[in-house]
Amino acid sequence: MDNLLLTIDQYKTEINNFTASDTETAETFRIKYLGAKGLIKELMGEMKNVAQENKKSFGQVMNEFKVFAEAKYEALKAATTNNGKAASDEIDLSLPADPLPVGSRHPISLVRNRIVAIFQRLGFAVAEGPEIEYDWHYFTALNLPENHPARDMQDTFYINQNPDWLLRTHTSSVQVREMEKGKLPIRIICPGRVYRNETISARAHCFFHQVEGLYIAENVSFADLKQTLYFFVQEMFGKEVKIRFRPSYFPFTEPSAEMDISCLICGGTGCNVCKHTGWVEILGCGMVHPNLLDNCGIDSNKYTGFAFGMGVERITMLKYQIKDLRLFSENDVRFLKQFTSAI
Ligand code: PHE
């Protein structure tokens, strides 16, 4: 026991004389005296050799020695990290900063913003509406009264809680909301997310995005519709792209048409993307049905209008030659980071 006390006194002197000018040396001190295999652990191991009656006082001496070594270590640490010199050694102010990882916009957002910007230049304002709609805005006002067979044209999701509620399958309901406000003329585009009860595949998804447009004023004609969409296509895809209209049916427009553009991949000569026709469909359109105007309290003898609707995913796929619709919603960073700049 006496021997041990003597040894401890010697170590205390050694510790007192220990100096450190950097953090590594302070760490060496910690390992040597306080570490898992350090001196204090080793001396504690001597406990088993100490006579029973001395165990208590030996424990006290060791505790006090440990506190002493810990205090010294704290002092060494403070001196080496705070002495200015050591700290400034670690920071090289001339080094360039770490680059901040910058995210990129989703390709769907890029293309939607581009579509919106093109129509804004023509004087269209952006209008938005809810994704959960009432029957009225979605069906009845859009010239689809109860039991109309075209209510089944798109696979609608209904909401169990209330049979009057559903998830919109297109943003035409926003047009109704806008017409009901009764402020004329109306020149709006409605970008938004829509839902359809379809099996997910490379070509279909249960949700996607649309931009629909509506123009109502006096003397609006089909020629205005054509010219507006022609302008859009040239701005979006380039001056060399051609358009064609095919007659179609939508309950809310009369006459109705679908618009094709000449295939961007083969330039119209025929390839897989255009199924060897040279044309790809990009949107539905037509002259607003007079019933819609009447439903919304607009004088259909005085006003006429046109409407159109396009899928943002479809335009994006054509623009970037993306073959699988599912890529847009999988959030794979390897895919998403390829679209860093606006097109
Ligand atoms: N709402 C139609 C659709 O989702 C597109 C459309 C809009 C057609 C406006 C004509 C007029 O398919």
Side-chain angles (χ1 to χ4, degrees), residues 5-19 29 33 65 68 72:
L5 293 181
L6 200 68
T7 323
I8 287 174
D9 268 348
Q10 278 168 3
Y11 282 128
K12 276 190 173 171
T13 320
E14 190 181 296
I15 287 175
N16 261 338
N17 293 336
F18 195 103
T19 55
F29 176 90
Y33 295 102
F65 180 45
F68 174 79
K72 175 74 180 186

mmCIF file of all heavy atoms in Angstrom, residues 5-19 29 33 65 68 72:
data_model
loop_
_atom_site.group_PDB
_atom_site.id
_atom_site.type_symbol
_atom_site.label_atom_id
_atom_site.label_comp_id
_atom_site.label_asym_id
_atom_site.label_seq_id
_atom_site.Cartn_x
_atom_site.Cartn_y
_atom_site.Cartn_z
ATOM 1 N N LEU A 5 1.300 4.267 -2.842
ATOM 2 C CA LEU A 5 1.103 5.706 -2.602
ATOM 3 C C LEU A 5 2.302 6.498 -3.098
ATOM 4 O O LEU A 5 2.169 7.562 -3.700
ATOM 5 C CB LEU A 5 0.841 5.973 -1.125
ATOM 6 C CG LEU A 5 -0.477 5.404 -0.608
ATOM 7 C CD1 LEU A 5 -0.657 5.731 0.872
ATOM 8 C CD2 LEU A 5 -1.657 5.957 -1.405
ATOM 9 N N LEU A 6 3.460 5.916 -2.859
ATOM 10 C CA LEU A 6 4.684 6.562 -3.326
ATOM 11 C C LEU A 6 4.677 6.680 -4.848
ATOM 12 O O LEU A 6 4.962 7.733 -5.418
ATOM 13 C CB LEU A 6 5.888 5.721 -2.856
ATOM 14 C CG LEU A 6 7.212 6.464 -2.830
ATOM 15 C CD1 LEU A 6 7.166 7.533 -1.720
ATOM 16 C CD2 LEU A 6 8.367 5.481 -2.555
ATOM 17 N N THR A 7 4.313 5.572 -5.487
ATOM 18 C CA THR A 7 4.260 5.572 -6.958
ATOM 19 C C THR A 7 3.304 6.652 -7.453
ATOM 20 O O THR A 7 3.606 7.399 -8.385
ATOM 21 C CB THR A 7 3.738 4.208 -7.466
ATOM 22 O OG1 THR A 7 4.260 3.193 -6.632
ATOM 23 C CG2 THR A 7 4.120 3.977 -8.906
ATOM 24 N N ILE A 8 2.156 6.742 -6.818
ATOM 25 C CA ILE A 8 1.166 7.738 -7.245
ATOM 26 C C ILE A 8 1.727 9.146 -7.116
ATOM 27 O O ILE A 8 1.559 9.988 -7.995
ATOM 28 C CB ILE A 8 -0.139 7.559 -6.457
ATOM 29 C CG1 ILE A 8 -0.838 6.295 -6.987
ATOM 30 C CG2 ILE A 8 -1.074 8.761 -6.631
ATOM 31 C CD1 ILE A 8 -2.064 5.886 -6.230
ATOM 32 N N ASP A 9 2.424 9.403 -6.023
ATOM 33 C CA ASP A 9 3.043 10.728 -5.858
ATOM 34 C C ASP A 9 3.994 11.035 -6.999
ATOM 35 O O ASP A 9 4.014 12.151 -7.528
ATOM 36 C CB ASP A 9 3.799 10.779 -4.519
ATOM 37 C CG ASP A 9 2.884 11.317 -3.429
ATOM 38 O OD1 ASP A 9 1.793 11.832 -3.809
ATOM 39 O OD2 ASP A 9 3.220 11.209 -2.246
ATOM 40 N N GLN A 10 4.774 10.008 -7.386
ATOM 41 C CA GLN A 10 5.718 10.224 -8.501
ATOM 42 C C GLN A 10 4.962 10.560 -9.799
ATOM 43 O O GLN A 10 5.329 11.451 -10.544
ATOM 44 C CB GLN A 10 6.558 8.961 -8.724
ATOM 45 C CG GLN A 10 7.727 8.875 -7.766
ATOM 46 C CD GLN A 10 8.381 7.497 -7.790
ATOM 47 O OE1 GLN A 10 8.001 6.625 -8.563
ATOM 48 N NE2 GLN A 10 9.354 7.316 -6.908
ATOM 49 N N TYR A 11 3.889 9.797 -10.020
ATOM 50 C CA TYR A 11 3.104 10.059 -11.234
ATOM 51 C C TYR A 11 2.509 11.459 -11.226
ATOM 52 O O TYR A 11 2.409 12.123 -12.244
ATOM 53 C CB TYR A 11 1.994 9.015 -11.411
ATOM 54 C CG TYR A 11 2.530 7.699 -11.968
ATOM 55 C CD1 TYR A 11 2.265 6.500 -11.344
ATOM 56 C CD2 TYR A 11 3.302 7.693 -13.135
ATOM 57 C CE1 TYR A 11 2.747 5.301 -11.858
ATOM 58 C CE2 TYR A 11 3.800 6.505 -13.633
ATOM 59 C CZ TYR A 11 3.524 5.311 -13.001
ATOM 60 O OH TYR A 11 4.006 4.153 -13.511
ATOM 61 N N LYS A 12 2.112 11.896 -10.027
ATOM 62 C CA LYS A 12 1.519 13.247 -9.951
ATOM 63 C C LYS A 12 2.540 14.294 -10.388
ATOM 64 O O LYS A 12 2.202 15.241 -11.111
ATOM 65 C CB LYS A 12 1.056 13.538 -8.525
ATOM 66 C CG LYS A 12 -0.318 12.991 -8.245
ATOM 67 C CD LYS A 12 -0.804 13.533 -6.913
ATOM 68 C CE LYS A 12 -2.245 13.141 -6.671
ATOM 69 N NZ LYS A 12 -2.660 13.482 -5.312
ATOM 70 N N THR A 13 3.770 14.120 -9.962
ATOM 71 C CA THR A 13 4.820 15.056 -10.367
ATOM 72 C C THR A 13 4.974 15.008 -11.883
ATOM 73 O O THR A 13 5.061 16.040 -12.572
ATOM 74 C CB THR A 13 6.169 14.687 -9.693
ATOM 75 O OG1 THR A 13 5.915 14.305 -8.365
ATOM 76 C CG2 THR A 13 7.154 15.813 -9.784
ATOM 77 N N GLU A 14 5.008 13.769 -12.401
ATOM 78 C CA GLU A 14 5.162 13.586 -13.848
ATOM 79 C C GLU A 14 4.031 14.316 -14.599
ATOM 80 O O GLU A 14 4.265 15.034 -15.563
ATOM 81 C CB GLU A 14 5.116 12.085 -14.134
ATOM 82 C CG GLU A 14 5.495 11.707 -15.543
ATOM 83 C CD GLU A 14 5.401 10.193 -15.729
ATOM 84 O OE1 GLU A 14 6.143 9.447 -15.082
ATOM 85 O OE2 GLU A 14 4.510 9.766 -16.520
ATOM 86 N N ILE A 15 2.816 14.125 -14.075
ATOM 87 C CA ILE A 15 1.647 14.761 -14.722
ATOM 88 C C ILE A 15 1.746 16.284 -14.647
ATOM 89 O O ILE A 15 1.506 16.996 -15.613
ATOM 90 C CB ILE A 15 0.344 14.242 -14.072
ATOM 91 C CG1 ILE A 15 0.107 12.810 -14.520
ATOM 92 C CG2 ILE A 15 -0.847 15.127 -14.433
ATOM 93 C CD1 ILE A 15 -1.064 12.117 -13.866
ATOM 94 N N ASN A 16 2.143 16.766 -13.470
ATOM 95 C CA ASN A 16 2.293 18.220 -13.313
ATOM 96 C C ASN A 16 3.248 18.810 -14.325
ATOM 97 O O ASN A 16 3.028 19.914 -14.824
ATOM 98 C CB ASN A 16 2.835 18.521 -11.905
ATOM 99 C CG ASN A 16 1.704 18.926 -10.975
ATOM 100 O OD1 ASN A 16 0.658 19.372 -11.451
ATOM 101 N ND2 ASN A 16 1.903 18.746 -9.684
ATOM 102 N N ASN A 17 4.303 18.064 -14.632
ATOM 103 C CA ASN A 17 5.320 18.590 -15.542
ATOM 104 C C ASN A 17 4.980 18.384 -17.014
ATOM 105 O O ASN A 17 5.705 18.843 -17.881
ATOM 106 C CB ASN A 17 6.679 17.921 -15.253
ATOM 107 C CG ASN A 17 7.179 18.335 -13.882
ATOM 108 O OD1 ASN A 17 6.797 19.384 -13.371
ATOM 109 N ND2 ASN A 17 8.013 17.496 -13.263
ATOM 110 N N PHE A 18 3.878 17.662 -17.263
ATOM 111 C CA PHE A 18 3.522 17.359 -18.659
ATOM 112 C C PHE A 18 3.086 18.640 -19.373
ATOM 113 O O PHE A 18 2.291 19.427 -18.885
ATOM 114 C CB PHE A 18 2.371 16.339 -18.673
ATOM 115 C CG PHE A 18 2.171 15.682 -20.010
ATOM 116 C CD1 PHE A 18 2.627 14.388 -20.237
ATOM 117 C CD2 PHE A 18 1.533 16.346 -21.057
ATOM 118 C CE1 PHE A 18 2.434 13.774 -21.465
ATOM 119 C CE2 PHE A 18 1.356 15.750 -22.284
ATOM 120 C CZ PHE A 18 1.798 14.447 -22.495
ATOM 121 N N THR A 19 3.653 18.873 -20.541
ATOM 122 C CA THR A 19 3.191 20.027 -21.333
ATOM 123 C C THR A 19 2.781 19.554 -22.726
ATOM 124 O O THR A 19 3.288 18.531 -23.212
ATOM 125 C CB THR A 19 4.300 21.092 -21.504
ATOM 126 O OG1 THR A 19 5.425 20.437 -22.076
ATOM 127 C CG2 THR A 19 4.688 21.755 -20.204
ATOM 128 N N PHE A 29 -1.595 12.267 -23.831
ATOM 129 C CA PHE A 29 -1.739 12.301 -22.368
ATOM 130 C C PHE A 29 -2.964 11.495 -21.934
ATOM 131 O O PHE A 29 -2.909 10.667 -21.029
ATOM 132 C CB PHE A 29 -1.875 13.761 -21.898
ATOM 133 C CG PHE A 29 -2.113 13.877 -20.419
ATOM 134 C CD1 PHE A 29 -1.050 13.993 -19.517
ATOM 135 C CD2 PHE A 29 -3.413 13.859 -19.898
ATOM 136 C CE1 PHE A 29 -1.273 14.079 -18.156
ATOM 137 C CE2 PHE A 29 -3.642 13.940 -18.532
ATOM 138 C CZ PHE A 29 -2.571 14.057 -17.663
ATOM 139 N N TYR A 33 -2.721 8.159 -19.505
ATOM 140 C CA TYR A 33 -3.170 8.150 -18.102
ATOM 141 C C TYR A 33 -4.630 7.735 -17.937
ATOM 142 O O TYR A 33 -4.972 7.039 -16.999
ATOM 143 C CB TYR A 33 -2.955 9.534 -17.471
ATOM 144 C CG TYR A 33 -1.494 9.889 -17.378
ATOM 145 C CD1 TYR A 33 -0.907 10.764 -18.292
ATOM 146 C CD2 TYR A 33 -0.689 9.328 -16.378
ATOM 147 C CE1 TYR A 33 0.429 11.078 -18.235
ATOM 148 C CE2 TYR A 33 0.666 9.641 -16.315
ATOM 149 C CZ TYR A 33 1.219 10.513 -17.240
ATOM 150 O OH TYR A 33 2.535 10.799 -17.170
ATOM 151 N N PHE A 65 -6.759 10.731 -7.442
ATOM 152 C CA PHE A 65 -5.728 10.759 -8.486
ATOM 153 C C PHE A 65 -6.388 10.886 -9.869
ATOM 154 O O PHE A 65 -5.935 11.632 -10.737
ATOM 155 C CB PHE A 65 -4.899 9.464 -8.397
ATOM 156 C CG PHE A 65 -3.813 9.382 -9.424
ATOM 157 C CD1 PHE A 65 -2.974 10.476 -9.688
ATOM 158 C CD2 PHE A 65 -3.586 8.208 -10.144
ATOM 159 C CE1 PHE A 65 -1.972 10.394 -10.636
ATOM 160 C CE2 PHE A 65 -2.577 8.126 -11.088
ATOM 161 C CZ PHE A 65 -1.769 9.226 -11.336
ATOM 162 N N PHE A 68 -7.554 14.350 -10.446
ATOM 163 C CA PHE A 68 -6.365 15.177 -10.688
ATOM 164 C C PHE A 68 -5.918 15.054 -12.158
ATOM 165 O O PHE A 68 -5.702 16.046 -12.844
ATOM 166 C CB PHE A 68 -5.249 14.694 -9.733
ATOM 167 C CG PHE A 68 -3.924 15.348 -9.950
ATOM 168 C CD1 PHE A 68 -3.671 16.633 -9.459
ATOM 169 C CD2 PHE A 68 -2.898 14.682 -10.649
ATOM 170 C CE1 PHE A 68 -2.439 17.227 -9.672
ATOM 171 C CE2 PHE A 68 -1.683 15.285 -10.873
ATOM 172 C CZ PHE A 68 -1.439 16.567 -10.373
ATOM 173 N N LYS A 72 -6.060 17.872 -15.307
ATOM 174 C CA LYS A 72 -4.879 18.212 -16.110
ATOM 175 C C LYS A 72 -5.204 18.053 -17.605
ATOM 176 O O LYS A 72 -4.864 18.910 -18.439
ATOM 177 C CB LYS A 72 -3.718 17.287 -15.716
ATOM 178 C CG LYS A 72 -2.472 17.443 -16.555
ATOM 179 C CD LYS A 72 -1.719 18.725 -16.230
ATOM 180 C CE LYS A 72 -0.470 18.862 -17.101
ATOM 181 N NZ LYS A 72 0.341 20.004 -16.704
#
